[in-house]
Amino acid sequence: GVSHAAPTHHFGDMSGLLSELAASGFRTFAAALKAAAATKASAAERMDAMGEAYVDFARANPAMFLLMFRSERLDMARPALSDAMDQAFAALTHGVSARRSGAGRSPSPSLAMMADVVRSWSLVHGFAMLMIDHRLDHVLAHLPEGADQRALLRAVLGVKDA
C-alpha cells in the first residue's frame, strides 16, 4: 500500500535500505550473544555460549549474516548501523575482557586484549563462514558416530562437556 518511491524517501538508496536491514540484524545478533552469555555462570562458559550463539545465528539467518559482514553494500557511517555494530562488538569485547580479568570491561583495552577479541571473533566467524559455504560438509561426514556440527564447534572452542 505504498508507492514505489517510498523506500527511496525513507532510506535514500539501496545502500541505505541494506544498511538499515543489517542494523536490524546486528541488534538481533547482539541480543542473542548477550542472552547466551546470561545463561552461564563463569566467564569462560559465557564466552563458549556466545561462540555457539554466534554460529547458531549464522546457521539460522545465513542471508542476513552474509549481508551484515559484507560491507561493500553497506553505509558504515549510517548511525543505526554503526550503533548496532557497536552493540555486537561490545558484547564480544565485554566477554573477552571478563574472561581475561574476571572483572568485566577495562577502561582502555590493551593490545593483548584486543588480540584476544580478534582471535575469538576469527574462530567463530571462520567456523560460521565455513558452515554457511558448506565447506564443513566433508568434515561433518567423517565425524565419529554421534558427533554433529555442534559437537565439532564445541570441540573447536575447547568446551569440556560434563
Side-chain angles (χ1 to χ4, degrees), residues 29 32-33 47-62 65 120-132 136 149-150 152-154 156-157:
F29 177 64
L33 296 178
M47 280 301 295
D48 292 338
M50 287 173 55
E52 290 183 49
Y54 192 108
V55 173
D56 288 346
F57 181 89
R59 181 184 306 120
N61 307 285
F65 186 83
S120 298
W121 184 15
S122 297
L123 184 66
V124 293
H125 190 79
F127 191 97
M129 290 302 297
L130 290 169
M131 178 198 60
I132 288 171
L136 291 178
Q149 187 171 298
R150 180 164 300 277
L152 178 61
L153 174 61
R154 292 176 64 77
V156 167
L157 293 173

PDB file of all heavy atoms in Angstrom, residues 29 32-33 47-62 65 120-132 136 149-150 152-154 156-157:
ATOM      1  N   PHE A  29      21.398  -9.961  16.585  1.00  0.00           N
ATOM      2  CA  PHE A  29      22.623 -10.715  16.826  1.00  0.00           C
ATOM      3  C   PHE A  29      23.207 -10.382  18.206  1.00  0.00           C
ATOM      4  O   PHE A  29      23.538 -11.277  18.986  1.00  0.00           O
ATOM      5  CB  PHE A  29      23.594 -10.371  15.697  1.00  0.00           C
ATOM      6  CG  PHE A  29      24.948 -10.988  15.775  1.00  0.00           C
ATOM      7  CD1 PHE A  29      25.127 -12.356  15.698  1.00  0.00           C
ATOM      8  CD2 PHE A  29      26.074 -10.185  15.873  1.00  0.00           C
ATOM      9  CE1 PHE A  29      26.396 -12.921  15.728  1.00  0.00           C
ATOM     10  CE2 PHE A  29      27.347 -10.740  15.897  1.00  0.00           C
ATOM     11  CZ  PHE A  29      27.501 -12.107  15.833  1.00  0.00           C
ATOM     12  N   ALA A  32      21.185 -11.866  20.911  1.00  0.00           N
ATOM     13  CA  ALA A  32      21.399 -13.320  21.015  1.00  0.00           C
ATOM     14  C   ALA A  32      22.703 -13.626  21.756  1.00  0.00           C
ATOM     15  O   ALA A  32      22.753 -14.544  22.582  1.00  0.00           O
ATOM     16  CB  ALA A  32      21.424 -13.957  19.628  1.00  0.00           C
ATOM     17  N   LEU A  33      23.754 -12.864  21.482  1.00  0.00           N
ATOM     18  CA  LEU A  33      25.025 -13.063  22.175  1.00  0.00           C
ATOM     19  C   LEU A  33      24.868 -12.793  23.675  1.00  0.00           C
ATOM     20  O   LEU A  33      25.329 -13.577  24.508  1.00  0.00           O
ATOM     21  CB  LEU A  33      26.116 -12.157  21.600  1.00  0.00           C
ATOM     22  CG  LEU A  33      26.533 -12.397  20.151  1.00  0.00           C
ATOM     23  CD1 LEU A  33      27.588 -11.373  19.728  1.00  0.00           C
ATOM     24  CD2 LEU A  33      27.035 -13.814  19.942  1.00  0.00           C
ATOM     25  N   MET A  47      31.714 -17.116  27.341  1.00  0.00           N
ATOM     26  CA  MET A  47      32.344 -16.978  26.022  1.00  0.00           C
ATOM     27  C   MET A  47      31.999 -18.164  25.123  1.00  0.00           C
ATOM     28  O   MET A  47      31.726 -17.983  23.940  1.00  0.00           O
ATOM     29  CB  MET A  47      33.862 -16.847  26.164  1.00  0.00           C
ATOM     30  CG  MET A  47      34.324 -15.450  26.547  1.00  0.00           C
ATOM     31  SD  MET A  47      33.835 -14.165  25.376  1.00  0.00           S
ATOM     32  CE  MET A  47      34.747 -14.657  23.912  1.00  0.00           C
ATOM     33  N   ASP A  48      32.011 -19.367  25.673  1.00  0.00           N
ATOM     34  CA  ASP A  48      31.646 -20.544  24.881  1.00  0.00           C
ATOM     35  C   ASP A  48      30.199 -20.438  24.404  1.00  0.00           C
ATOM     36  O   ASP A  48      29.891 -20.729  23.244  1.00  0.00           O
ATOM     37  CB  ASP A  48      31.837 -21.824  25.702  1.00  0.00           C
ATOM     38  CG  ASP A  48      33.295 -22.128  25.990  1.00  0.00           C
ATOM     39  OD1 ASP A  48      34.171 -21.629  25.246  1.00  0.00           O
ATOM     40  OD2 ASP A  48      33.559 -22.854  26.960  1.00  0.00           O
ATOM     41  N   ALA A  49      29.308 -20.002  25.298  1.00  0.00           N
ATOM     42  CA  ALA A  49      27.896 -19.849  24.929  1.00  0.00           C
ATOM     43  C   ALA A  49      27.732 -18.793  23.841  1.00  0.00           C
ATOM     44  O   ALA A  49      26.926 -18.958  22.916  1.00  0.00           O
ATOM     45  CB  ALA A  49      27.066 -19.490  26.163  1.00  0.00           C
ATOM     46  N   MET A  50      28.491 -17.714  23.944  1.00  0.00           N
ATOM     47  CA  MET A  50      28.428 -16.676  22.910  1.00  0.00           C
ATOM     48  C   MET A  50      28.953 -17.213  21.576  1.00  0.00           C
ATOM     49  O   MET A  50      28.402 -16.883  20.518  1.00  0.00           O
ATOM     50  CB  MET A  50      29.222 -15.443  23.342  1.00  0.00           C
ATOM     51  CG  MET A  50      28.529 -14.655  24.434  1.00  0.00           C
ATOM     52  SD  MET A  50      29.515 -13.302  25.112  1.00  0.00           S
ATOM     53  CE  MET A  50      29.931 -12.373  23.676  1.00  0.00           C
ATOM     54  N   GLY A  51      29.989 -18.036  21.609  1.00  0.00           N
ATOM     55  CA  GLY A  51      30.505 -18.638  20.380  1.00  0.00           C
ATOM     56  C   GLY A  51      29.460 -19.514  19.721  1.00  0.00           C
ATOM     57  O   GLY A  51      29.269 -19.475  18.495  1.00  0.00           O
ATOM     58  N   GLU A  52      28.763 -20.301  20.534  1.00  0.00           N
ATOM     59  CA  GLU A  52      27.705 -21.150  19.982  1.00  0.00           C
ATOM     60  C   GLU A  52      26.555 -20.299  19.449  1.00  0.00           C
ATOM     61  O   GLU A  52      25.998 -20.594  18.387  1.00  0.00           O
ATOM     62  CB  GLU A  52      27.227 -22.134  21.041  1.00  0.00           C
ATOM     63  CG  GLU A  52      28.262 -23.198  21.357  1.00  0.00           C
ATOM     64  CD  GLU A  52      27.771 -24.218  22.366  1.00  0.00           C
ATOM     65  OE1 GLU A  52      26.650 -24.739  22.175  1.00  0.00           O
ATOM     66  OE2 GLU A  52      28.505 -24.490  23.327  1.00  0.00           O
ATOM     67  N   ALA A  53      26.214 -19.221  20.166  1.00  0.00           N
ATOM     68  CA  ALA A  53      25.141 -18.328  19.703  1.00  0.00           C
ATOM     69  C   ALA A  53      25.524 -17.649  18.394  1.00  0.00           C
ATOM     70  O   ALA A  53      24.677 -17.446  17.520  1.00  0.00           O
ATOM     71  CB  ALA A  53      24.825 -17.286  20.774  1.00  0.00           C
ATOM     72  N   TYR A  54      26.786 -17.305  18.247  1.00  0.00           N
ATOM     73  CA  TYR A  54      27.286 -16.683  17.022  1.00  0.00           C
ATOM     74  C   TYR A  54      27.031 -17.607  15.829  1.00  0.00           C
ATOM     75  O   TYR A  54      26.455 -17.210  14.812  1.00  0.00           O
ATOM     76  CB  TYR A  54      28.782 -16.415  17.186  1.00  0.00           C
ATOM     77  CG  TYR A  54      29.412 -15.519  16.144  1.00  0.00           C
ATOM     78  CD1 TYR A  54      29.791 -14.225  16.474  1.00  0.00           C
ATOM     79  CD2 TYR A  54      29.671 -15.963  14.851  1.00  0.00           C
ATOM     80  CE1 TYR A  54      30.394 -13.397  15.540  1.00  0.00           C
ATOM     81  CE2 TYR A  54      30.267 -15.145  13.913  1.00  0.00           C
ATOM     82  CZ  TYR A  54      30.625 -13.854  14.267  1.00  0.00           C
ATOM     83  OH  TYR A  54      31.214 -13.035  13.334  1.00  0.00           O
ATOM     84  N   VAL A  55      27.445 -18.851  15.971  1.00  0.00           N
ATOM     85  CA  VAL A  55      27.280 -19.820  14.889  1.00  0.00           C
ATOM     86  C   VAL A  55      25.804 -20.164  14.688  1.00  0.00           C
ATOM     87  O   VAL A  55      25.349 -20.304  13.549  1.00  0.00           O
ATOM     88  CB  VAL A  55      28.142 -21.074  15.145  1.00  0.00           C
ATOM     89  CG1 VAL A  55      27.853 -22.171  14.131  1.00  0.00           C
ATOM     90  CG2 VAL A  55      29.627 -20.700  15.117  1.00  0.00           C
ATOM     91  N   ASP A  56      25.047 -20.266  15.773  1.00  0.00           N
ATOM     92  CA  ASP A  56      23.614 -20.534  15.659  1.00  0.00           C
ATOM     93  C   ASP A  56      22.913 -19.428  14.872  1.00  0.00           C
ATOM     94  O   ASP A  56      22.045 -19.702  14.038  1.00  0.00           O
ATOM     95  CB  ASP A  56      22.959 -20.672  17.037  1.00  0.00           C
ATOM     96  CG  ASP A  56      23.334 -21.959  17.747  1.00  0.00           C
ATOM     97  OD1 ASP A  56      23.877 -22.885  17.094  1.00  0.00           O
ATOM     98  OD2 ASP A  56      23.099 -22.036  18.976  1.00  0.00           O
ATOM     99  N   PHE A  57      23.283 -18.165  15.133  1.00  0.00           N
ATOM    100  CA  PHE A  57      22.692 -17.048  14.399  1.00  0.00           C
ATOM    101  C   PHE A  57      23.011 -17.179  12.915  1.00  0.00           C
ATOM    102  O   PHE A  57      22.128 -17.012  12.066  1.00  0.00           O
ATOM    103  CB  PHE A  57      23.203 -15.709  14.936  1.00  0.00           C
ATOM    104  CG  PHE A  57      22.612 -14.523  14.232  1.00  0.00           C
ATOM    105  CD1 PHE A  57      21.430 -13.957  14.670  1.00  0.00           C
ATOM    106  CD2 PHE A  57      23.220 -13.989  13.102  1.00  0.00           C
ATOM    107  CE1 PHE A  57      20.867 -12.866  14.005  1.00  0.00           C
ATOM    108  CE2 PHE A  57      22.671 -12.912  12.424  1.00  0.00           C
ATOM    109  CZ  PHE A  57      21.487 -12.346  12.876  1.00  0.00           C
ATOM    110  N   ALA A  58      24.262 -17.482  12.601  1.00  0.00           N
ATOM    111  CA  ALA A  58      24.657 -17.636  11.193  1.00  0.00           C
ATOM    112  C   ALA A  58      23.897 -18.780  10.527  1.00  0.00           C
ATOM    113  O   ALA A  58      23.460 -18.657   9.378  1.00  0.00           O
ATOM    114  CB  ALA A  58      26.166 -17.874  11.087  1.00  0.00           C
ATOM    115  N   ARG A  59      23.726 -19.889  11.245  1.00  0.00           N
ATOM    116  CA  ARG A  59      23.022 -21.051  10.697  1.00  0.00           C
ATOM    117  C   ARG A  59      21.547 -20.719  10.454  1.00  0.00           C
ATOM    118  O   ARG A  59      20.985 -21.086   9.427  1.00  0.00           O
ATOM    119  CB  ARG A  59      23.129 -22.240  11.656  1.00  0.00           C
ATOM    120  CG  ARG A  59      22.434 -23.490  11.124  1.00  0.00           C
ATOM    121  CD  ARG A  59      22.445 -24.664  12.106  1.00  0.00           C
ATOM    122  NE  ARG A  59      23.786 -25.000  12.564  1.00  0.00           N
ATOM    123  CZ  ARG A  59      24.160 -24.962  13.853  1.00  0.00           C
ATOM    124  NH1 ARG A  59      23.326 -24.608  14.792  1.00  0.00           N
ATOM    125  NH2 ARG A  59      25.382 -25.302  14.189  1.00  0.00           N
ATOM    126  N   ALA A  60      20.936 -20.017  11.391  1.00  0.00           N
ATOM    127  CA  ALA A  60      19.505 -19.701  11.282  1.00  0.00           C
ATOM    128  C   ALA A  60      19.224 -18.556  10.313  1.00  0.00           C
ATOM    129  O   ALA A  60      18.120 -18.470   9.770  1.00  0.00           O
ATOM    130  CB  ALA A  60      18.946 -19.353  12.667  1.00  0.00           C
ATOM    131  N   ASN A  61      20.204 -17.688  10.085  1.00  0.00           N
ATOM    132  CA  ASN A  61      19.999 -16.480   9.271  1.00  0.00           C
ATOM    133  C   ASN A  61      21.161 -16.273   8.291  1.00  0.00           C
ATOM    134  O   ASN A  61      21.821 -15.230   8.325  1.00  0.00           O
ATOM    135  CB  ASN A  61      19.907 -15.252  10.190  1.00  0.00           C
ATOM    136  CG  ASN A  61      18.896 -15.406  11.281  1.00  0.00           C
ATOM    137  OD1 ASN A  61      17.702 -15.318  11.040  1.00  0.00           O
ATOM    138  ND2 ASN A  61      19.363 -15.668  12.498  1.00  0.00           N
ATOM    139  N   PRO A  62      21.431 -17.242   7.423  1.00  0.00           N
ATOM    140  CA  PRO A  62      22.636 -17.121   6.580  1.00  0.00           C
ATOM    141  C   PRO A  62      22.640 -15.890   5.677  1.00  0.00           C
ATOM    142  O   PRO A  62      23.687 -15.237   5.533  1.00  0.00           O
ATOM    143  CB  PRO A  62      22.654 -18.417   5.780  1.00  0.00           C
ATOM    144  CG  PRO A  62      21.268 -18.965   5.861  1.00  0.00           C
ATOM    145  CD  PRO A  62      20.690 -18.466   7.150  1.00  0.00           C
ATOM    146  N   PHE A  65      23.284 -12.860   7.896  1.00  0.00           N
ATOM    147  CA  PHE A  65      24.656 -12.920   8.376  1.00  0.00           C
ATOM    148  C   PHE A  65      25.627 -12.454   7.292  1.00  0.00           C
ATOM    149  O   PHE A  65      26.522 -11.648   7.553  1.00  0.00           O
ATOM    150  CB  PHE A  65      24.980 -14.351   8.816  1.00  0.00           C
ATOM    151  CG  PHE A  65      26.321 -14.519   9.454  1.00  0.00           C
ATOM    152  CD1 PHE A  65      26.517 -14.232  10.791  1.00  0.00           C
ATOM    153  CD2 PHE A  65      27.396 -14.986   8.712  1.00  0.00           C
ATOM    154  CE1 PHE A  65      27.771 -14.396  11.386  1.00  0.00           C
ATOM    155  CE2 PHE A  65      28.640 -15.157   9.290  1.00  0.00           C
ATOM    156  CZ  PHE A  65      28.827 -14.860  10.631  1.00  0.00           C
ATOM    157  N   SER A 120      39.126 -14.659  19.190  1.00  0.00           N
ATOM    158  CA  SER A 120      37.825 -15.274  19.468  1.00  0.00           C
ATOM    159  C   SER A 120      36.857 -15.055  18.313  1.00  0.00           C
ATOM    160  O   SER A 120      36.150 -15.978  17.891  1.00  0.00           O
ATOM    161  CB  SER A 120      37.230 -14.684  20.756  1.00  0.00           C
ATOM    162  OG  SER A 120      38.053 -14.965  21.857  1.00  0.00           O
ATOM    163  N   TRP A 121      36.820 -13.822  17.812  1.00  0.00           N
ATOM    164  CA  TRP A 121      35.927 -13.478  16.711  1.00  0.00           C
ATOM    165  C   TRP A 121      36.300 -14.272  15.464  1.00  0.00           C
ATOM    166  O   TRP A 121      35.429 -14.844  14.789  1.00  0.00           O
ATOM    167  CB  TRP A 121      36.015 -11.986  16.463  1.00  0.00           C
ATOM    168  CG  TRP A 121      35.088 -11.428  15.428  1.00  0.00           C
ATOM    169  CD1 TRP A 121      33.983 -12.018  14.875  1.00  0.00           C
ATOM    170  CD2 TRP A 121      35.184 -10.145  14.832  1.00  0.00           C
ATOM    171  NE1 TRP A 121      33.399 -11.167  13.965  1.00  0.00           N
ATOM    172  CE2 TRP A 121      34.108 -10.012  13.929  1.00  0.00           C
ATOM    173  CE3 TRP A 121      36.071  -9.082  14.978  1.00  0.00           C
ATOM    174  CZ2 TRP A 121      33.910  -8.867  13.166  1.00  0.00           C
ATOM    175  CZ3 TRP A 121      35.867  -7.940  14.227  1.00  0.00           C
ATOM    176  CH2 TRP A 121      34.798  -7.835  13.319  1.00  0.00           C
ATOM    177  N   SER A 122      37.578 -14.340  15.157  1.00  0.00           N
ATOM    178  CA  SER A 122      38.029 -15.066  13.963  1.00  0.00           C
ATOM    179  C   SER A 122      37.646 -16.536  14.022  1.00  0.00           C
ATOM    180  O   SER A 122      37.230 -17.120  13.016  1.00  0.00           O
ATOM    181  CB  SER A 122      39.549 -14.951  13.811  1.00  0.00           C
ATOM    182  OG  SER A 122      39.937 -13.623  13.625  1.00  0.00           O
ATOM    183  N   LEU A 123      37.775 -17.116  15.188  1.00  0.00           N
ATOM    184  CA  LEU A 123      37.472 -18.539  15.350  1.00  0.00           C
ATOM    185  C   LEU A 123      36.009 -18.834  15.026  1.00  0.00           C
ATOM    186  O   LEU A 123      35.705 -19.689  14.189  1.00  0.00           O
ATOM    187  CB  LEU A 123      37.811 -18.990  16.770  1.00  0.00           C
ATOM    188  CG  LEU A 123      37.643 -20.468  17.062  1.00  0.00           C
ATOM    189  CD1 LEU A 123      38.648 -21.289  16.268  1.00  0.00           C
ATOM    190  CD2 LEU A 123      37.826 -20.714  18.547  1.00  0.00           C
ATOM    191  N   VAL A 124      35.101 -18.101  15.669  1.00  0.00           N
ATOM    192  CA  VAL A 124      33.678 -18.403  15.442  1.00  0.00           C
ATOM    193  C   VAL A 124      33.200 -17.892  14.093  1.00  0.00           C
ATOM    194  O   VAL A 124      32.361 -18.529  13.450  1.00  0.00           O
ATOM    195  CB  VAL A 124      32.773 -17.894  16.590  1.00  0.00           C
ATOM    196  CG1 VAL A 124      33.044 -18.656  17.872  1.00  0.00           C
ATOM    197  CG2 VAL A 124      32.901 -16.402  16.803  1.00  0.00           C
ATOM    198  N   HIS A 125      33.741 -16.764  13.644  1.00  0.00           N
ATOM    199  CA  HIS A 125      33.329 -16.246  12.330  1.00  0.00           C
ATOM    200  C   HIS A 125      33.807 -17.182  11.221  1.00  0.00           C
ATOM    201  O   HIS A 125      33.054 -17.477  10.291  1.00  0.00           O
ATOM    202  CB  HIS A 125      33.863 -14.831  12.108  1.00  0.00           C
ATOM    203  CG  HIS A 125      33.288 -14.184  10.900  1.00  0.00           C
ATOM    204  ND1 HIS A 125      32.030 -13.614  10.894  1.00  0.00           N
ATOM    205  CD2 HIS A 125      33.774 -14.035   9.642  1.00  0.00           C
ATOM    206  CE1 HIS A 125      31.772 -13.137   9.687  1.00  0.00           C
ATOM    207  NE2 HIS A 125      32.810 -13.381   8.911  1.00  0.00           N
ATOM    208  N   GLY A 126      35.024 -17.656  11.346  1.00  0.00           N
ATOM    209  CA  GLY A 126      35.542 -18.603  10.357  1.00  0.00           C
ATOM    210  C   GLY A 126      34.720 -19.879  10.322  1.00  0.00           C
ATOM    211  O   GLY A 126      34.372 -20.386   9.250  1.00  0.00           O
ATOM    212  N   PHE A 127      34.386 -20.405  11.496  1.00  0.00           N
ATOM    213  CA  PHE A 127      33.564 -21.612  11.564  1.00  0.00           C
ATOM    214  C   PHE A 127      32.204 -21.352  10.913  1.00  0.00           C
ATOM    215  O   PHE A 127      31.723 -22.164  10.111  1.00  0.00           O
ATOM    216  CB  PHE A 127      33.383 -22.059  13.018  1.00  0.00           C
ATOM    217  CG  PHE A 127      32.775 -23.425  13.165  1.00  0.00           C
ATOM    218  CD1 PHE A 127      33.576 -24.536  13.366  1.00  0.00           C
ATOM    219  CD2 PHE A 127      31.390 -23.616  13.104  1.00  0.00           C
ATOM    220  CE1 PHE A 127      33.022 -25.802  13.507  1.00  0.00           C
ATOM    221  CE2 PHE A 127      30.834 -24.867  13.233  1.00  0.00           C
ATOM    222  CZ  PHE A 127      31.650 -25.975  13.436  1.00  0.00           C
ATOM    223  N   ALA A 128      31.602 -20.193  11.248  1.00  0.00           N
ATOM    224  CA  ALA A 128      30.290 -19.856  10.683  1.00  0.00           C
ATOM    225  C   ALA A 128      30.351 -19.747   9.160  1.00  0.00           C
ATOM    226  O   ALA A 128      29.473 -20.255   8.453  1.00  0.00           O
ATOM    227  CB  ALA A 128      29.767 -18.553  11.293  1.00  0.00           C
ATOM    228  N   MET A 129      31.388 -19.103   8.635  1.00  0.00           N
ATOM    229  CA  MET A 129      31.511 -18.956   7.182  1.00  0.00           C
ATOM    230  C   MET A 129      31.748 -20.307   6.509  1.00  0.00           C
ATOM    231  O   MET A 129      31.160 -20.579   5.453  1.00  0.00           O
ATOM    232  CB  MET A 129      32.641 -17.981   6.840  1.00  0.00           C
ATOM    233  CG  MET A 129      32.328 -16.544   7.194  1.00  0.00           C
ATOM    234  SD  MET A 129      30.837 -15.889   6.402  1.00  0.00           S
ATOM    235  CE  MET A 129      31.313 -15.979   4.686  1.00  0.00           C
ATOM    236  N   LEU A 130      32.584 -21.146   7.093  1.00  0.00           N
ATOM    237  CA  LEU A 130      32.794 -22.486   6.536  1.00  0.00           C
ATOM    238  C   LEU A 130      31.490 -23.274   6.522  1.00  0.00           C
ATOM    239  O   LEU A 130      31.193 -23.998   5.566  1.00  0.00           O
ATOM    240  CB  LEU A 130      33.857 -23.234   7.340  1.00  0.00           C
ATOM    241  CG  LEU A 130      35.290 -22.725   7.188  1.00  0.00           C
ATOM    242  CD1 LEU A 130      36.197 -23.367   8.234  1.00  0.00           C
ATOM    243  CD2 LEU A 130      35.812 -22.971   5.777  1.00  0.00           C
ATOM    244  N   MET A 131      30.695 -23.110   7.575  1.00  0.00           N
ATOM    245  CA  MET A 131      29.408 -23.803   7.660  1.00  0.00           C
ATOM    246  C   MET A 131      28.446 -23.284   6.585  1.00  0.00           C
ATOM    247  O   MET A 131      27.854 -24.069   5.847  1.00  0.00           O
ATOM    248  CB  MET A 131      28.818 -23.597   9.058  1.00  0.00           C
ATOM    249  CG  MET A 131      27.468 -24.237   9.249  1.00  0.00           C
ATOM    250  SD  MET A 131      26.622 -23.544  10.676  1.00  0.00           S
ATOM    251  CE  MET A 131      26.511 -21.819  10.237  1.00  0.00           C
ATOM    252  N   ILE A 132      28.313 -21.968   6.490  1.00  0.00           N
ATOM    253  CA  ILE A 132      27.396 -21.376   5.514  1.00  0.00           C
ATOM    254  C   ILE A 132      27.786 -21.763   4.087  1.00  0.00           C
ATOM    255  O   ILE A 132      26.933 -22.034   3.245  1.00  0.00           O
ATOM    256  CB  ILE A 132      27.355 -19.834   5.664  1.00  0.00           C
ATOM    257  CG1 ILE A 132      26.602 -19.458   6.933  1.00  0.00           C
ATOM    258  CG2 ILE A 132      26.705 -19.182   4.452  1.00  0.00           C
ATOM    259  CD1 ILE A 132      26.694 -17.979   7.262  1.00  0.00           C
ATOM    260  N   LEU A 136      32.278 -27.305   5.459  1.00  0.00           N
ATOM    261  CA  LEU A 136      32.426 -28.284   6.539  1.00  0.00           C
ATOM    262  C   LEU A 136      31.716 -29.600   6.240  1.00  0.00           C
ATOM    263  O   LEU A 136      31.860 -30.555   6.994  1.00  0.00           O
ATOM    264  CB  LEU A 136      31.884 -27.722   7.859  1.00  0.00           C
ATOM    265  CG  LEU A 136      32.673 -26.594   8.498  1.00  0.00           C
ATOM    266  CD1 LEU A 136      31.970 -26.114   9.769  1.00  0.00           C
ATOM    267  CD2 LEU A 136      34.093 -27.022   8.794  1.00  0.00           C
ATOM    268  N   GLN A 149      27.569 -31.177  14.007  1.00  0.00           N
ATOM    269  CA  GLN A 149      28.153 -29.852  13.818  1.00  0.00           C
ATOM    270  C   GLN A 149      28.369 -29.145  15.152  1.00  0.00           C
ATOM    271  O   GLN A 149      29.408 -28.518  15.369  1.00  0.00           O
ATOM    272  CB  GLN A 149      27.232 -29.038  12.921  1.00  0.00           C
ATOM    273  CG  GLN A 149      27.774 -27.707  12.505  1.00  0.00           C
ATOM    274  CD  GLN A 149      26.893 -27.094  11.457  1.00  0.00           C
ATOM    275  OE1 GLN A 149      26.726 -27.642  10.377  1.00  0.00           O
ATOM    276  NE2 GLN A 149      26.309 -25.968  11.775  1.00  0.00           N
ATOM    277  N   ARG A 150      27.406 -29.239  16.059  1.00  0.00           N
ATOM    278  CA  ARG A 150      27.534 -28.593  17.370  1.00  0.00           C
ATOM    279  C   ARG A 150      28.680 -29.230  18.155  1.00  0.00           C
ATOM    280  O   ARG A 150      29.460 -28.529  18.799  1.00  0.00           O
ATOM    281  CB  ARG A 150      26.244 -28.665  18.173  1.00  0.00           C
ATOM    282  CG  ARG A 150      26.427 -27.983  19.546  1.00  0.00           C
ATOM    283  CD  ARG A 150      25.138 -27.660  20.249  1.00  0.00           C
ATOM    284  NE  ARG A 150      24.255 -26.769  19.561  1.00  0.00           N
ATOM    285  CZ  ARG A 150      24.350 -25.428  19.581  1.00  0.00           C
ATOM    286  NH1 ARG A 150      25.324 -24.845  20.229  1.00  0.00           N
ATOM    287  NH2 ARG A 150      23.477 -24.693  18.960  1.00  0.00           N
ATOM    288  N   LEU A 152      31.316 -30.625  16.924  1.00  0.00           N
ATOM    289  CA  LEU A 152      32.542 -30.155  16.303  1.00  0.00           C
ATOM    290  C   LEU A 152      32.864 -28.731  16.766  1.00  0.00           C
ATOM    291  O   LEU A 152      33.993 -28.436  17.135  1.00  0.00           O
ATOM    292  CB  LEU A 152      32.445 -30.226  14.769  1.00  0.00           C
ATOM    293  CG  LEU A 152      33.663 -29.720  14.005  1.00  0.00           C
ATOM    294  CD1 LEU A 152      34.917 -30.537  14.360  1.00  0.00           C
ATOM    295  CD2 LEU A 152      33.388 -29.771  12.504  1.00  0.00           C
ATOM    296  N   LEU A 153      31.873 -27.857  16.758  1.00  0.00           N
ATOM    297  CA  LEU A 153      32.083 -26.492  17.216  1.00  0.00           C
ATOM    298  C   LEU A 153      32.550 -26.480  18.668  1.00  0.00           C
ATOM    299  O   LEU A 153      33.512 -25.783  19.016  1.00  0.00           O
ATOM    300  CB  LEU A 153      30.821 -25.651  17.062  1.00  0.00           C
ATOM    301  CG  LEU A 153      30.900 -24.233  17.659  1.00  0.00           C
ATOM    302  CD1 LEU A 153      31.991 -23.408  16.980  1.00  0.00           C
ATOM    303  CD2 LEU A 153      29.543 -23.549  17.566  1.00  0.00           C
ATOM    304  N   ARG A 154      31.898 -27.235  19.511  1.00  0.00           N
ATOM    305  CA  ARG A 154      32.288 -27.277  20.926  1.00  0.00           C
ATOM    306  C   ARG A 154      33.719 -27.794  21.073  1.00  0.00           C
ATOM    307  O   ARG A 154      34.483 -27.294  21.919  1.00  0.00           O
ATOM    308  CB  ARG A 154      31.290 -28.110  21.726  1.00  0.00           C
ATOM    309  CG  ARG A 154      29.912 -27.418  21.820  1.00  0.00           C
ATOM    310  CD  ARG A 154      28.861 -28.260  22.526  1.00  0.00           C
ATOM    311  NE  ARG A 154      29.156 -28.524  23.915  1.00  0.00           N
ATOM    312  CZ  ARG A 154      29.002 -27.650  24.916  1.00  0.00           C
ATOM    313  NH1 ARG A 154      28.552 -26.439  24.647  1.00  0.00           N
ATOM    314  NH2 ARG A 154      29.288 -27.986  26.154  1.00  0.00           N
ATOM    315  N   VAL A 156      36.094 -27.436  18.779  1.00  0.00           N
ATOM    316  CA  VAL A 156      36.928 -26.350  18.276  1.00  0.00           C
ATOM    317  C   VAL A 156      37.085 -25.277  19.353  1.00  0.00           C
ATOM    318  O   VAL A 156      38.171 -24.731  19.557  1.00  0.00           O
ATOM    319  CB  VAL A 156      36.336 -25.751  16.980  1.00  0.00           C
ATOM    320  CG1 VAL A 156      36.990 -24.429  16.616  1.00  0.00           C
ATOM    321  CG2 VAL A 156      36.474 -26.740  15.821  1.00  0.00           C
ATOM    322  N   LEU A 157      36.000 -24.976  20.060  1.00  0.00           N
ATOM    323  CA  LEU A 157      36.045 -23.968  21.128  1.00  0.00           C
ATOM    324  C   LEU A 157      36.759 -24.483  22.373  1.00  0.00           C
ATOM    325  O   LEU A 157      37.074 -23.699  23.266  1.00  0.00           O
ATOM    326  CB  LEU A 157      34.621 -23.527  21.499  1.00  0.00           C
ATOM    327  CG  LEU A 157      33.846 -22.760  20.438  1.00  0.00           C
ATOM    328  CD1 LEU A 157      32.401 -22.539  20.891  1.00  0.00           C
ATOM    329  CD2 LEU A 157      34.519 -21.434  20.131  1.00  0.00           C
TER     330      LEU A 157
END
